[in-house]
Amino acid sequence: MKVYLHTLSKRGVIITLFVFALLYTGSIFVGHVGPTPLSKSDSISITSLESWSGEVTQLSRLHQSLTLALSLPKRVDLGFDMTLNYTMSVEGSSQLLTALPMNTTVETYDVPWELVEDSVEYSRGVSCVSGSETCKTLIIAHEPFIKFSSYRFNLTFSPFADAVRESGDGTFTFSYVNEDFTLFELWTRLGFLLFSSGVAFLYFFRLRYFPRRSWSLEQKWVAALLIGLIINNNPLFPLTIIIAHWFPVLLHQSTFLLFLGILLLFWLVSFDGIQKERDPSFFRVGSCLSFYLPKFALVVTLCGAALGVIMFIELEELDDPGASLSSEPWFNTFWVSMLVLFILYTLYLIFLVVRAAVKRNSIAFLQRRLLFLGLYTIIIVFIVVISVMVNIFTSLLNTGATQFFSIMCLFNIYVATVAVVYLPASATYAAQSPENLAESSHSASMTRFDLDIELSDDE
């Protein structure tokens, strides 16, 4: 089946790549001017680290999460480390205090408080780098889900002479997700969900006249990519805001890993399969098994290790977000395994690309397909690796709306571009349409009829 990619010249591939880069650059600009992900309350200074009580009000589910941080300035210019021990209790109220500004005390109001956390002891390591004016900001408390419209935090600090002597007045700050950013995220995902569904409809509608066995290997995997893209755009994402539970969050992370796994398989299958799909023995059960099994094993193991890393991060954020995961042996195991498997995947992909490039002149349109897939793969892998690393070490909320919107655009534009270039060319599509098939069948019948008449006249 001849597709649009076969009709593209090298100049056409470069122009397509330029348009792709232009759209992606535009997405970075849109994300940069988008709403700020995090909102912060006015800082609350304290002069004595013995006990502290503070309230935050006017919260809703759109704020998604709540964090209380403590910043300690230094009195000396030397670097030092110390330990901060404290006991914390958290109370919540569903009463909406619209008359009070954010972070205003509500002790004078008759507010029914519900106990969320009762006198739990915590220990935090305080790191103060030499030459810095403040110590590293500590996450004192974190509520991963907003269940109440108001929260009260009561802290009692244990005596720690080093901290009192070496640090000055502490500053508490509440931070939460900006409501405008939550709405921006919801509308963005809805828009891309409709976009990806439209591209999938166009793709399958255009191929409806062609039997499945006539589809190329890449066309079959593009169909899987489109389904994975719709799943990645996640029509169930609002559940992570509506339902205050870890499962919708884990489901949301799993949809991204599922799409990423399909994308990684698409690259391996495309570069290895374009030189084998014309071999009749390739479609035997044994050949297909030896072709797909190593690829599935590598990608599934890689995604499983990545899921393990994400689960540790998410569950630790629910339990104690200020604790360090570097001391967790299971986390280190998953993390090292993910890095090793990704290196193996990269080397395997490079091997397949080089082997296909050696045979680029022996198969029709192979050089053009390698040019298109190779350029796009290099760009996508580079951006995805950087984004995944940043996403693991830094929350999306700390990197701004730019990363969120640009990554969403990257995957949607890439899959849409691949789907369009693998659509049947106009001449191929016209020849396969029912009208042309009926006309061809009618012409063939008339030809046979004329031949029968000529034979009867000869007799």
Side-chain angles (χ1 to χ4, degrees), residues 88-108:
M88 180 178 67
S89 62
V90 183
E91 298 171 295
S93 174
S94 299
Q95 183 172 333
L96 185 61
L97 303 174
T98 56
L100 293 177
M102 191 74 72
N103 191 41
T104 300
T105 180
V106 292
E107 293 178 353
T108 57

Side-chain angles (χ1 to χ4, degrees), residues 6 34 53 60 65 85 139 148 155 219 313 378 392 445:
H6 299 161
S53 179
S60 68
S65 62
N85 300 309
I139 299 178
F148 302 94
L155 303 174
Q219 285 178 316
I313 294 175
I378 292 173
I392 287 176
S445 300

Side-chain angles (χ1 to χ4, degrees), residues 286-429:
S287 299
C288 285
L289 189 62
S290 61
F291 177 79
Y292 281 112
L293 187 59
K295 298 175 177 60
F296 270 94
L298 177 59
V299 173
V300 169
T301 309
L302 174 59
C303 291
L307 181 61
V309 172
I310 292 175
M311 284 182 63
F312 266 101
I313 294 175
E314 294 292 340
L315 294 177
E316 188 66 28
E317 186 178 80
L318 293 176
D319 183 41
D320 187 6
S324 174
L325 284 170
S326 58
S327 59
E328 294 287 343
W330 281 105
F331 175 79
N332 293 327
T333 301
F334 278 110
W335 174 246
V336 173
S337 300
M338 186 183 68
L339 290 181
V340 172
L341 289 169
F342 181 77
I343 293 173
L344 290 176
Y345 174 88
T346 304
L347 295 175
Y348 186 29
L349 183 62
I350 293 173
F351 166 74
L352 294 178
V353 173
V354 172
R355 190 176 66 174
V358 172
K359 301 180 180 180
R360 63 184 182 276
N361 295 322
S362 60
I363 302 176
F365 306 113
L366 180 57
Q367 187 172 2
R368 201 167 300 160
R369 294 154 76 181
L370 282 176
L371 178 63
F372 176 82
L373 287 174
L375 289 176
Y376 274 90
T377 302
I378 292 173
I379 294 174
I380 301 299
V381 168
F382 177 75
I383 298 176
V384 167
V385 168
I386 293 178
S387 300
V388 169
M389 295 300 177
V390 171
N391 200 20
I392 287 176
F393 287 109
T394 308
S395 173
L396 275 174
L397 301 177
N398 295 329
T399 55
T402 302
Q403 185 186 356
F404 160 71
F405 191 75
S406 61
I407 289 298
M408 291 292 293
C409 284
L410 175 72
F411 289 134
N412 282 271
I413 296 173
Y414 172 72
V415 176
T417 303
V418 172
V420 169
V421 298
Y422 277 105
L423 286 175
S426 299
T428 306
Y429 179 77

